[in-house]
Amino acid sequence: MGHQIAMLCALGGYRTKLQDVSKEALQTAEKSLNNVMNRWVKQTKITNEQKEEAFSRLTFTTHLEEAARDADLVIEAIVEKLDVKRELFQRLDLITPSHTIFATNSSTIVNSLLADVTKRPEKVCNMHFFFPPLVMDCVEVVMSEKTSEHTMETVMAVCKRINRTGLLLRKEISGFVANRILGAMNREALYLYEAGIADFKEIDHIVKKALGHPLGPFELIDLSGADVVLNVMEQRYLETGDSEDKPKQSIVEKVKSGNLGRKTGQGFYAYSK
């Protein structure tokens, strides 16, 4: 998510720094972005000059201080775990200028759960991009009770400049809109699978053919990663305590076995290079 969000910002004309703790991850990100941008040039989506200009605005670093110390906007896209995000936001609050806006790309965690570790809750919001960000034209922009109008207006303007449709939610709720609907579908699909009503392939086929979805729920889990899905389920269950939100056993087993989906080559489906 992070490297594609960074490229969207660079394409939109912003000087952008992409930070990761892993040098190898940054090298992989740069290679991936080069591949995508070269393909876009061949498809005449952008010119070679636009590609070169975007890369000239994009830098890669493993140092958080270097990335954030002059930033006007920070978009966080790390692991979907509340304690890890809170620790990062606390560090960012010390590193960045007082005017810097903090946006979390979390697909589930509301920004008020992060804002309270900063001295700028009015400058914190959600910018939930959809995967893959270079393809999906939607960003859920979520305000808390403390998020200011100025922050909201600035972030919505950024969405427009990077050629993405920002959809504003003025009230927080875990999972926002898209993922609450998607989560309900996934829970039902996993129930039907675990109850032996239908095989996961049959469920995917029915959802695609009958409902017109481009991917079935199990294909989408493999695309997102079972570990990401489990983290989201655990966070939701932690917040609600509702037994309906308890992580499904088939997802727990996928994570325990290391069969996380496309990124490991095996999930519900098998994948080859």
Side-chain angles (χ1 to χ4, degrees):
M1 292 292 288
H3 69 286
Q4 291 205 11
I5 294 170
M7 179 52 77
L8 278 176
C9 294
L11 287 166
Y14 293 109
R15 287 184 294 108
T16 307
K17 294 180 180 179
L18 177 63
Q19 186 269 338
D20 195 285
V21 294
S22 166
K23 185 177 180 180
E24 291 73 22
L26 290 174
Q27 291 171 341
T28 300
E30 187 171 8
K31 182 180 178 181
S32 173
L33 289 175
N34 266 297
N35 289 338
V36 174
M37 292 300 102
N38 287 334
R39 188 162 65 247
W40 279 21
V41 170
K42 287 182 179 178
Q43 295 169 344
T44 67
K45 290 183 178 180
I46 60 173
T47 65
N48 191 66
E49 184 181 12
Q50 288 174 315
K51 182 197 81 170
E52 297 298 331
E53 288 177 352
F55 273 107
S56 73
R57 289 188 286 264
L58 181 60
T59 57
F60 301 80
T61 179
T62 56
H63 302 290
L64 185 64
E65 292 78 7
E66 180 186 339
R69 65 189 173 203
D70 298 320
D72 297 311
L73 169 66
V74 175
I75 303 174
E76 165 272 314
I78 64 171
V79 65
E80 196 76 348
K81 291 188 177 181
L82 180 59
D83 57 338
V84 182
K85 290 182 186 290
R86 283 173 64 84
E87 181 184 355
L88 175 60
F89 270 56
Q90 199 167 26
R91 289 182 64 195
L92 286 168
D93 198 43
L94 299 174
I95 295 168
T96 55
S98 59
H99 72 270
T100 306
I101 291 172
F102 295 167
T104 174
N105 181 53
S106 175
S107 60
T108 304
I109 299 170
V110 294
N111 69 81
S112 60
L113 295 177
L114 306 173
D116 67 336
V117 300
T118 77
K119 295 177 181 177
R120 62 186 88 192
E122 75 284 358
K123 293 183 174 68
V124 182
C125 68
N126 288 82
M127 283 183 79
H128 176 218
F129 291 78
F130 291 81
F131 185 81
L134 285 168
V135 175
M136 300 295 285
D137 176 26
C138 185
V139 181
E140 288 178 319
V141 177
V142 188
M143 301 174 67
S144 73
E145 292 182 356
K146 294 185 178 180
T147 306
S148 72
E149 289 293 318
H150 177 264
T151 295
M152 177 272 293
E153 290 168 0
T154 303
V155 170
M156 291 293 283
V158 170
C159 290
K160 185 175 182 180
R161 183 163 169 177
I162 65 175
N163 198 31
R164 286 296 172 269
T165 302
L167 298 169
L168 179 63
L169 305 179
R170 289 184 172 271
K171 187 174 182 180
E172 289 187 318
I173 187 169
S174 177
F176 322 130
V177 173
N179 275 357
R180 289 184 71 85
I181 295 171
L182 180 62
M185 185 182 76
N186 281 351
R187 284 194 298 276
E188 187 62 24
L190 288 163
Y191 165 75
L192 293 169
Y193 168 63
E194 292 181 3
I197 305 300
D199 182 75
F200 66 87
K201 292 181 181 179
E202 295 169 333
I203 295 170
D204 277 354
H205 196 65
I206 290 169
V207 167
K208 288 190 290 186
K209 290 293 185 181
L211 304 182
H213 291 205
L215 293 175
F218 295 93
E219 290 174 320
L220 194 54
I221 289 169
D222 276 1
L223 179 63
S224 301
D227 53 336
V228 174
V229 174
L230 179 60
N231 286 339
V232 169
M233 288 179 169
E234 288 176 338
Q235 180 62 34
R236 181 76 179 275
Y237 183 51
L238 184 66
E239 292 177 14
T240 67
D242 187 341
S243 60
E244 290 294 317
D245 293 326
K246 191 173 183 179
K248 299 298 183 183
Q249 189 58 36
S250 54
I251 298 296
V252 174
E253 290 172 359
K254 291 294 181 190
V255 174
K256 283 184 177 179
S257 67
N259 295 324
L260 307 180
R262 292 193 185 192
K263 60 187 173 184
T264 60
Q266 178 67 53
F268 285 97
Y269 296 88
Y271 302 88
S272 64
K273 291 184 180 181

